[in-house]
Amino acid sequence: MKVAVVGYPNVGKSSLVNRLTQSREAVVHERPGVTRDRKELQTEWNGRRFTLIDTGGVDLEDRDEMQRSIQEQARAALADAQLALFVVDAQAGLRPGDEEMADLLRRTHVPVILAANKVDSVKDVTLAAEFYALGFGDPVAVSAAQGLGTGDLLDRVVSRLPDESEVEEDEDLVRLALIGRPNVGKSSLVNKMLGSDRVIVSEVAGTTRDAIDLPFRFEDRRLILVDTAGMRRQAKVGDSIEYYTALRSRRAAERADVALVVCDAQEGVTSQDLRIAELAMQSGCATALVLNKWDLTGGEDEPEFDLDHERARVNNKLRLRPRVLTTSAKTGRHIHRLLTEAFALADRTSGRVPTPQLNRFLSDIQEIRQPPAKQNHRLKLIYMTQTAERPPRFSIQVNSRNRVTRDYAYFIENRLRERYRFEGIPLIIDFVERRERRGERAGRPARGESRAEMREGRDGHGRRRDGRDDDGATGATGADDFAA
């Protein structure tokens, strides 16, 4: 169930949403007009779960292009909601803008609850009485800043929600975040993927302020698309609003399964794009880079743009070697492929590689490049298995962890990416030293083992100690991780 939170600019809608959801997801600032797109946040009260839709302040007299877009987003939120929470400013009193918003709500035929905000003390409760004139019944006096009356407001909201059976959580759900610098076309891509103007698009950089969650279905699979604010270099963050919007973009990457780093194809992959991609990969989500505005470069027919060079540069700069894709939000080029790639990355992140395949891989890489040796003792890679997913984690048993060099660990990691298409996916590889038997450490044969077998490198059952015929038992100790 969805509840649209609407009202005149700067009445405290986002502050109230944060209070009711016990979060700081909605950007709050004393400057009016900070919220622009509609943002959905889930909350729960008395066992009922519902979604609050935070919207931008609506001033119907304002003819500015941005304000018209905000009004369209508020109307779309009301069309999508089963209940409207109309927020007014008790300190400012009844204003013409409140009456215009009330007229708009009456035309939508959505049930309305009136909340008189900024009642920060008990003596101010009487200020709410003025809003009876709007015709929506008893106003609920609340304070988003102090928390006064919020319990009564939630009780009123839950009592007006229609009954709905619980919806089971879809384990196949994928969270896809679009992140990148300002004005590279993230919101345009979101609208093209959804097939509608769901978020505000403007040539003015920094239009998007919140991280907007947008659920939809693609080829019978559920996906939550997250549009985020542009991320500048720290030195160029100009004010507190921009700081908090960038912070929410980082948090969006942390809770995403897949991140698409959107770049401007006219500029190529910049150093800031690489930093943003590194940030996404450090958060643990699978990542790919997307060159948007490809139509403006002339595409493959443009001799000045070398796509192979951009891909080689990304592979050289980023350890996880994410793929570099091309698209155009204007023409719709490769939009379908981007979503297909996002699901493929999510599936590979949560999938498992069978142990027999991993041990064949281990044998193949040792033939390609012999393991390093220290002090005339060579590293032996004995056995490999996958121990976890999201992100994928692998364990390799070795005869001596001290003989594992960083260069050889990177070599294994890169071959693993190539073999199983782990480009852009964080990997963890544990090199685990196998314990020797007590008799072996003393230079004596173990129980049931002859000295001849010991010299030949076999145990008491005639099996080789190098692990080629090993049955997979580990007997391993803990080891430091080589995290990718």
Side-chain angles (χ1 to χ4, degrees):
M1 295 298 170
K2 294 184 178 181
V3 180
V5 183
V6 296
Y8 198 68
N10 216 30
V11 295
K13 296 182 297 299
S14 296
S15 298
L16 188 58
V17 166
N18 283 343
R19 173 67 69 173
L20 297 180
T21 58
Q22 297 184 337
S23 71
R24 294 183 179 178
E25 288 297 317
V27 177
V28 174
H29 198 274
E30 60 186 12
R31 185 192 309 170
V34 170
T35 303
R36 292 171 176 176
D37 293 292
R38 61 189 194 269
K39 179 178 178 62
E40 298 186 4
L41 293 170
Q42 286 193 344
T43 189
E44 182 178 354
W45 184 254
N46 289 341
R48 291 293 304 273
R49 293 189 64 83
F50 56 95
T51 300
L52 291 174
I53 310 176
D54 186 23
T55 65
V58 175
D59 183 355
L60 297 175
E61 294 298 316
D62 191 340
R63 302 302 179 189
D64 178 71
E65 184 70 28
M66 181 65 70
Q67 177 56 220
R68 283 204 296 269
S69 297
I70 292 172
Q71 292 171 19
E72 290 173 5
Q73 292 297 314
R75 288 188 175 95
L78 289 168
D80 193 32
Q82 288 76 45
L83 182 66
L85 182 57
F86 181 17
V87 184
V88 293
D89 186 341
Q91 297 291 337
L94 184 61
R95 295 176 289 184
D98 297 324
E99 295 174 344
E100 292 164 2
M101 188 71 210
D103 290 337
L104 174 64
L105 287 169
R106 279 189 281 270
R107 290 195 296 271
T108 63
H109 305 293
V110 177
V112 177
I113 293 174
L114 182 61
N117 191 27
K118 303 186 182 180
V119 179
D120 296 333
S121 66
V122 176
K123 63 181 178 63
D124 292 334
V125 170
T126 56
L127 297 175
E130 183 180 1
F131 296 94
Y132 276 101
L134 294 175
F136 293 115
D138 295 339
V140 182
V142 296
S143 170
Q146 306 298 330
L148 294 174
T150 52
D152 294 335
L153 178 59
L154 286 167
D155 285 338
R156 181 86 65 91
V157 168
V158 167
S159 69
R160 299 288 295 275
L161 289 175
D163 293 332
E164 184 182 64
S165 58
E166 291 293 326
V167 179
E168 294 183 1
E169 191 69 23
D170 189 352
E171 294 183 357
D172 209 25
L173 175 69
V174 173
R175 297 188 67 91
L176 170 63
L178 271 66
I179 61 177
R181 294 180 292 117
N183 222 29
V184 294
K186 299 183 293 299
S187 296
S188 298
L189 273 178
V190 166
N191 286 339
K192 201 68 175 182
M193 290 175 176
L194 296 174
S196 64
D197 293 335
R198 174 60 179 80
V199 292
I200 298 172
V201 174
S202 171
E203 294 181 359
V204 178
T207 299
T208 304
R209 293 272 174 80
D210 284 298
I212 311 297
D213 288 15
L214 307 162
F216 77 109
R217 299 191 74 88
F218 174 75
E219 295 186 346
D220 295 327
R221 291 186 66 175
R222 284 188 63 215
L223 184 143
I224 293 181
L225 195 58
V226 186
D227 184 24
T228 64
M231 301 169 67
R232 300 179 188 269
R233 285 193 298 125
Q234 196 68 27
K236 292 191 175 183
V237 174
D239 58 18
S240 59
I241 293 178
E242 195 168 6
Y243 169 79
Y244 286 112
T245 56
L247 183 62
R248 281 160 176 78
S249 296
R250 293 187 181 95
R251 288 178 178 170
E254 290 171 359
R255 57 191 173 91
D257 301 305
V258 179
L260 296 181
V261 180
V262 183
C263 316
D264 189 331
Q266 299 174 97
E267 303 174 17
V269 180
T270 67
S271 57
Q272 177 66 359
D273 295 329
L274 294 174
R275 279 191 288 269
I276 293 171
E278 191 69 44
L279 176 71
M281 291 182 286
Q282 287 173 1
S283 68
C285 63
T287 305
L289 278 75
V290 178
L291 290 169
N292 188 28
K293 307 182 184 180
W294 188 250
D295 55 299
L296 300 179
T297 67
E300 284 79 2
D301 300 327
E302 180 69 25
E304 288 83 6
F305 192 92
D306 190 346
L307 183 58
D308 291 335
H309 171 75
E310 294 295 320
R311 286 172 171 159
R313 181 166 174 263
V314 168
N315 282 342
N316 185 50
K317 294 288 186 180
L318 298 176
R319 179 177 168 185
L320 270 61
R321 301 190 173 184
R323 295 190 65 193
V324 179
L325 309 172
T326 60
T327 191
S328 170
K330 182 178 180 180
T331 66
R333 167 196 167 93
H334 290 164
I335 295 294
H336 186 279
R337 189 180 74 171
L338 289 183
L339 294 170
T340 302
E341 178 65 18
F343 279 118
L345 283 169
D347 290 341
R348 286 194 287 272
T349 302
S350 59
R352 293 190 73 92
V353 182
T355 298
Q357 290 187 25
L358 290 173
N359 282 288
R360 282 196 293 272
F361 162 77
L362 208 60
S363 176
D364 292 343
I365 63 170
Q366 290 181 90
E367 290 182 6
I368 296 172
R369 179 174 172 182
Q370 194 175 36
K374 289 184 179 181
Q375 298 176 344
N376 296 324
H377 293 285
R378 189 165 299 279
L379 171 68
K380 292 182 181 178
L381 309 180
I382 301 170
Y383 181 78
M384 184 175 183
T385 189
Q386 185 173 351
T387 57
E389 315 88 26
R390 293 188 177 186
R393 186 168 193 150
F394 301 90
S395 175
I396 300 178
Q397 291 184 30
V398 296
N399 61 335
S400 174
R401 188 159 46 89
N402 292 331
R403 296 172 197 163
V404 180
T405 63
R406 185 169 293 273
D407 181 60
Y408 199 73
Y410 286 165
F411 166 73
I412 295 174
E413 176 193 325
N414 291 333
R415 298 291 84 75
L416 191 64
R417 292 190 191 283
E418 291 176 3
R419 175 75 68 94
Y420 299 108
R421 297 194 63 194
F422 284 137
E423 300 96 338
I425 297 176
L427 303 177
I428 300 173
I429 303 176
D430 303 321
F431 291 89
V432 184
E433 187 170 312
R434 169 169 287 189
R435 278 193 192 132
E436 296 178 316
R437 293 182 178 86
R438 192 174 296 171
E440 293 175 300
R441 289 200 302 269
R444 299 189 302 273
R447 180 177 296 178
E449 176 186 30
S450 68
R451 289 187 178 275
E453 288 174 325
M454 186 184 75
R455 287 194 298 269
E456 292 173 1
R458 297 180 181 274
D459 61 17
H461 301 284
R463 293 178 298 199
R464 296 170 60 96
R465 264 199 216 97
D466 60 9
R468 293 181 188 173
D469 297 323
D470 200 335
D471 61 359
T474 59
T477 58
D480 292 335
D481 299 340
F482 281 81

